[in-house]
Amino acid sequence: MFSIFGCPMHFGVGAPGLKYSLDYLRNRYENLRIVKLPEIIMEEDPDCVLKNRNTVAATCQSIAQYMYSVFETGKTPLFLGGDHSVVMGSASAASVYVQDQFHEETGLIYIDAHADINTDATTVTGNIHGVPVASLLGLGDPKLTGFLRPGAKIRPENIVYLGLRDIDPPELTLLKDLGIRFYTYEEICRRGLSLCLEEAARYLSHLHFFHLSFDIDSMDPALMPGVSVPVKSGFTKEEVYEMMGYLMRELPVISYDIVEFNQEFDRDNRTADFVSDLVDFITDAKRKKPF
């Protein structure tokens, strides 16, 4: 059974539309009975490079604590909404819970147009939604690496990216230096989605627990306009369903994110409708292997 919850986090990117997008989904779709966690507003340090760091950190800690409690009930957490900084909380909860209960490591499948692996030393914008993977690796600002417990939550060799189309030069250097497996959208188009998925699953097959984090901006903004930071080209709906279906069948995914839906930029509810449909797809009991 799934537990669907979310947070309208917008402080990681500063996009006002994210503040009401979760409520929009809750009010429009009967299948989205979402438990809503609030953003926790904190006093900020004026000289900090990272914008709204203390607020984002406090909110992610709350997300991590709530998600850990969901695991304790035996349900599968499905997190919705807000910018991608929230994965610092959700993936931390998955990692710490697996360590506590099974003494094993957690894998991270990251479907996104962006690598989100800048640090406070490399970020150009200061937006925290561009640093969460680095933080999960224990890199960068220590206020963003200690959710539930200090230190790294994910190992570089336990990460696979799918669909990257916008990688900052320092991010590419870090990806290569750490040996992180990533598939750009161009490579997936060239080699074929099925082949890349099979290869990724083999690469991760030594792990028994996964957190799957899906950013809607991994998709073509011409099809899915309701995102804050669109990047030209990207996955179609059919490709997303193929990815999700395959990963859920072949890998033991124990928790999920669907992030960056911004209703302000949506057209004719195309993106909102897709989010609702994707939740139904994920929570379909026939497609979900037991935890």
Side-chain angles (χ1 to χ4, degrees):
M1 181 179 294
F2 282 80
S3 175
I4 303 175
F5 68 104
C7 175
M9 174 80 89
H10 81 288
F11 284 103
V13 62
L18 293 172
K19 290 192 290 185
Y20 60 81
S21 295
L22 190 65
D23 283 336
Y24 185 84
L25 293 173
R26 295 169 79 207
N27 294 333
R28 180 176 175 82
Y29 302 98
E30 292 186 0
N31 63 319
L32 300 183
R33 293 292 172 256
I34 304 164
V35 174
K36 179 182 173 182
L37 307 181
E39 293 178 288
I40 299 175
I41 312 301
M42 303 292 289
E43 184 178 350
E44 298 296 341
D45 305 317
D47 58 346
C48 183
V49 171
L50 297 173
K51 299 173 184 175
N52 308 305
R53 177 193 60 183
N54 296 342
T55 292
V56 172
T59 304
C60 285
Q61 176 72 4
S62 173
I63 291 168
Q65 290 170 335
Y66 185 88
M67 187 158 159
Y68 192 100
S69 72
V70 170
F71 279 121
E72 290 185 310
T73 68
K75 295 180 181 179
T76 299
L78 196 165
F79 181 91
L80 286 177
D83 65 66
H84 218 157
S85 63
V86 296
V87 72
M88 294 186 294
S90 58
S92 290
S95 174
V96 172
Y97 182 78
V98 166
Q99 284 282 352
D100 287 349
Q101 298 298 316
F102 306 102
H103 308 291
E104 294 193 32
E105 297 175 1
T106 303
L108 176 63
I109 304 163
Y110 210 80
I111 304 174
D112 201 329
H114 309 91
D116 295 348
I117 198 170
N118 275 299
T119 68
D120 53 322
T122 65
T123 179
V124 174
T125 66
N127 291 330
I128 295 180
H129 79 153
V131 310
V133 177
S135 296
L136 289 167
L137 290 164
L139 305 175
D141 192 311
K143 283 196 175 182
L144 301 178
T145 62
F147 301 114
L148 296 185
R149 68 179 51 156
K153 306 302 188 301
I154 306 289
R155 292 181 183 270
E157 61 269 26
N158 295 341
I159 298 173
V160 164
Y161 285 94
L162 295 165
L164 296 181
R165 311 195 298 286
D166 186 7
I167 310 173
D168 294 337
E171 292 182 302
L172 184 59
T173 297
L174 190 56
L175 288 170
K176 291 181 176 179
D177 286 349
L178 294 176
I180 294 175
R181 181 67 61 95
F182 66 94
Y183 295 86
T184 64
Y185 182 70
E186 184 278 330
E187 179 182 357
I188 290 171
C189 289
R190 176 169 45 83
R191 299 181 61 204
L193 178 58
S194 296
L195 179 63
C196 292
L197 288 172
E198 291 170 5
E199 189 174 279
R202 285 197 302 272
Y203 174 75
L204 295 170
S205 60
H206 62 290
L207 296 168
H208 300 104
F209 305 92
F210 290 90
H211 181 75
L212 197 165
S213 194
F214 174 76
D215 191 323
I216 302 165
D217 72 25
S218 65
M219 302 180 72
D220 187 340
L223 303 173
M224 294 294 140
V227 296
S228 304
V229 189
V231 181
K232 185 179 179 181
S233 189
F235 294 121
T236 65
K237 289 192 291 185
E238 293 74 19
E239 288 170 329
V240 170
Y241 287 131
E242 180 180 349
M243 281 191 294
M244 289 292 186
Y246 183 88
L247 293 169
M248 292 169 68
R249 287 192 304 271
E250 299 300 322
L251 297 174
V253 179
I254 62 167
S255 50
Y256 300 80
D257 302 320
I258 302 174
V259 301
E260 297 280 3
F261 167 63
N262 191 330
Q263 199 272 333
E264 178 181 359
F265 302 116
D266 205 5
R267 298 292 179 269
D268 302 319
N269 288 305
R270 280 183 278 163
T271 316
D273 287 348
F274 176 74
V275 171
S276 175
D277 291 343
L278 184 59
V279 169
D280 280 345
F281 183 87
I282 291 172
T283 57
D284 183 343
K286 291 187 232 180
R287 300 181 188 273
K288 184 73 179 75
K289 294 193 295 186
F291 173 24

